[in-house]
Amino acid sequence: MKYKITLLILLFSAFGFAQSETTGKLKTVVVTNYELGYALYKPANTKDKKPLIVFISGDGEKGTDIEKVKIHGPLKYLKSHELDAYVLAPQCKEDENWDTESIYQLILKIQKENKIDSERIYVTGLSSGGWASWNLAFAHPDLFAANVPVAGFVDLIQLEEVCKIANIPTRIYHGLMDDVVKVDYAITVYKELKKCNAKDVQLTIFDDAGHDSWTRVYDNQAIYDWMFKQKKTNTNK
């Protein structure tokens, strides 16, 4: 029995002294394969440069049926009206979330292939699309002449950098009775923008609206008239 105990102690000691530590560095590149469907409306006259509205839909319009992005927003409006502008509506897959960098790359593609007025590119979105609208503005503040988030929200990290978009004319819309995305999000980001002395930011809260505060926004010519008046060269200085 003594022999066995002694052997165990010797083995334990041997393993203990054999331990060592090394350090190093590993560089990796992560490539994400993200597929983005989209619908593009073109105005009647495509010979001259025209504005571009980038409309980002919500979770209810996810999938592969591109007709879904026409249920709400500018493409719905275009079913019975005309807009002298391009309207781009990306579509997120059912099991994915919005990837704002992919939307940015899509915008660059549309710009390259069409006569887009680079001083009049507008971004707008509803619900999770409102979140994407905010995030696109944060990521590329020099690209957009206006931002119109509807029933959206802003991440806490972006709130800390809100002054980056203080020069982008912004119209924020939300429903007071929204039980999906609380109106507090809209109020908070509005207040933070005002602290940054934002030149042209307005918050509209519909007292009688729930999460769907977008119908009265996008079904009204007024929001499009306002967007088309915004130009980067005149407003984003």
Side-chain angles (χ1 to χ4, degrees):
M1 182 64 71
K2 286 184 179 180
Y3 173 78
K4 292 183 179 179
I5 293 175
T6 303
L7 180 60
L8 286 173
I9 293 173
L10 288 172
L11 287 172
F12 178 79
S13 300
F15 288 134
F17 286 113
Q19 290 177 351
S20 63
E21 180 179 304
T22 60
T23 60
K25 292 181 180 179
L26 172 67
K27 291 185 178 181
T28 62
V29 177
V30 178
V31 178
T32 302
N33 184 9
Y34 193 90
E35 187 176 279
L36 197 65
Y38 69 90
L40 177 66
Y41 167 86
K42 296 184 178 183
N45 176 14
T46 58
K47 294 181 179 180
D48 301 323
K49 287 187 176 181
K50 295 296 173 68
L52 170 65
I53 299 174
V54 181
F55 167 65
I56 311 173
S57 53
D59 285 355
E61 291 72 64
K62 286 183 177 182
T64 55
D65 180 3
I66 199 62
E67 292 299 313
K68 284 186 174 183
V69 301
K70 303 175 186 179
I71 295 175
H72 306 295
L75 290 180
K76 174 192 173 187
Y77 185 77
L78 282 165
K79 292 177 181 179
S80 55
H81 302 80
E82 290 187 6
L83 292 173
D84 193 23
Y86 291 86
V87 179
L88 172 64
Q91 185 179 39
C92 187
K93 282 189 173 181
E94 190 72 43
D95 57 346
E96 296 178 351
N97 295 316
W98 284 116
D99 180 81
T100 51
E101 188 58 27
S102 294
I103 300 175
Y104 173 66
Q105 293 299 324
L106 175 59
I107 295 170
L108 296 183
K109 167 184 163 64
I110 298 303
Q111 274 189 281
K112 185 177 180 180
E113 297 174 354
N114 301 274
K115 288 190 174 181
I116 305 295
D117 185 347
S118 61
E119 303 299 328
R120 301 171 73 195
I121 299 177
Y122 316 108
V123 62
T124 181
L126 62 89
S127 194
S128 64
W131 171 87
S133 175
W134 282 116
N135 278 272
L136 269 171
F138 281 117
H140 305 282
D142 296 330
L143 178 63
F144 301 107
N147 181 22
V148 184
V150 185
F153 60 96
V154 178
D155 296 325
L156 290 176
I157 295 176
Q158 273 71 28
L159 274 178
E160 297 175 359
E161 303 178 351
V162 75
C163 292
K164 290 170 57 177
I165 61 171
N167 289 332
I168 301 178
T170 302
R171 293 293 180 268
I172 308 167
Y173 295 93
H174 219 103
L176 182 63
M177 298 183 292
D178 192 334
D179 59 356
V180 178
V181 179
K182 298 298 183 183
V183 70
D184 294 348
Y185 283 102
I187 295 171
T188 298
V189 69
Y190 171 76
K191 289 181 176 178
E192 291 300 315
L193 281 169
K194 296 301 286 185
K195 289 179 184 178
C196 298
N197 297 316
K199 297 177 181 178
D200 189 4
V201 56
Q202 290 184 15
L203 168 63
T204 300
I205 299 175
F206 300 116
D207 293 344
D208 59 343
H211 192 45
D212 179 5
S213 52
W214 51 78
T215 296
R216 67 188 74 186
V217 175
Y218 293 122
D219 287 5
N220 193 327
Q221 180 67 35
I223 192 58
Y224 307 107
D225 290 342
W226 176 81
M227 280 193 279
F228 296 151
K229 291 177 182 177
Q230 311 309 311
K231 292 185 179 182
K232 283 198 304 179
T233 51
N234 295 332
T235 57
N236 292 4
K237 294 182 179 180

